Amino acid sequence: MLSPCLTEYKMITKRVDPQVFLDRMRQKVKARDPIMIASAGSGLVAKLLEEQGVDIINTFSGARLRANGMGTMSMMWPNLDSNAQTLNYTREDIMPALSGQAMICACLNANDPLRDMRMVLEDCQRMGANAVSNIGPSVSYVDEGSEIKKVLTSAGVTLDNEIEMLRLAKEMGMVAVGLAFTPEDSERIVAEAAPHIFCYHAGTTKGGRTGYDNGSTIADTARDTEAVYQRALALAPDTILVGHGAAMETSEDAQFMLNNTSGHGFWTGSSTERLPIERAVTQAASDFRKLSFH
C-alpha cells in the first residue's frame, strides 16, 4: 500500500473512449461549459493539466521542442522527424503520467514521406492516443503565394494529405481535430474533412522568450476568429469550434474570446506551458541565487 505522502503512479493508463468523449464534449457545448485543449511537451505538464480538468491534451513535436527552450515553429526546420518525436514522447513521457481523464490528441505530420499514415494512426490507437490533429506541422503554416509554399506543393506536401488523414482517422473511430491558419484553409478542412473539432489558429502566441507578436490585439484576434467560425458553422453546424494563438496569451484574453466569438472553447499552448514555466523557474532560481552566507 502506498504511503499517503506518495503520488500513485499507474503502469496501465486508462484509455478514453472516443464516442464517450465526444458525447461529453457535446454535453459541455449544450451546457455552455467551455472546452479546453492544451498542449504538453512533458509528462509533468500533462499531469498538471489533466489534474486541472483539461479536456484534451495535445502532444506534438512543437510542444516538445518548446519544452526544450526552442520556438514552436522550430519543428518546421527539416532536421526533425516530427512524427517519430511525437509518437515516442507521447508513448514514453505522456501516457504513463496520466490517469485517463483527458483525451490525448497526437498532432501529426500528414505529409510524412517516410510512413503510411494509416500505420501511424494505428500506432496512436495502440498507445491510447485516440484523437489526432493535422498540426504536426501543417502546410497551412506556410504563407499562401510564397515561393516555399509553391515548392512544397510541387513536392507533394499539401493540405489535401492533411484532409485525407483527418477523414481516415474518423473512419477508424478516432476523434478528428482539424486546424488551419487561414480562412481559405479553414473552409477546406471543415467542408472536406468534417472534423469533430476545428481550431482556427490566429497566429503564433505572443509573449515570453520565443513568442511572436504580429501586432494583433485581442479584439483583432476575436474578430478574425469569429469570421472563420461563422463560415464553419454555415458549412457544418455541429462542428465544435475552438480558438488559439496570436493575442490570446492570458486567461483574460481567452475570456474575451469566449465573450466575443461563437466558439465553444479554446486551445492553449505556450499560455499554459512555456510562459508559466519561464516565469516560475526564473523567479524561483532568482530567489535562490540571491541567498548568501551570513
Side-chain angles (χ1 to χ4, degrees), residues 11 27 58 81 89 98 110 255 277:
M11 292 299 105
Q27 290 171 7
N58 283 334
D81 184 339
Y89 99 95
L98 301 180
Q255 185 65 62
I277 289 172

Side-chain angles (χ1 to χ4, degrees), residues 207-220:
R209 293 171 179 263
T210 57
Y212 175 73
D213 188 352
N214 66 5
S216 295
T217 65
I218 190 61
D220 295 331

Side-chain angles (χ1 to χ4, degrees), residues 38-43 45-46 49 57-60 63-64 66 89 94 273:
S39 300
S42 70
V45 169
L49 291 172
I57 295 174
N58 283 334
T59 62
F60 75 118
R64 185 175 185 272
R66 194 163 58 218
Y89 99 95
I94 303 298
E273 183 180 28

Side-chain angles (χ1 to χ4, degrees), residues 104-142:
I104 302 302
C105 176
C107 298
L108 301 174
N109 173 18
N111 286 285
D112 190 335
L114 304 176
R115 293 175 179 83
D116 171 6
M117 290 309 296
R118 184 185 296 274
M119 295 180 66
V120 175
L121 295 178
E122 289 172 349
D123 286 343
C124 288
Q125 288 180 310
R126 277 196 293 272
M127 75 175 71
N130 287 325
V132 295
S133 181
N134 62 303
I135 190 184
S138 169
V139 72
S140 188
Y141 276 112
V142 185

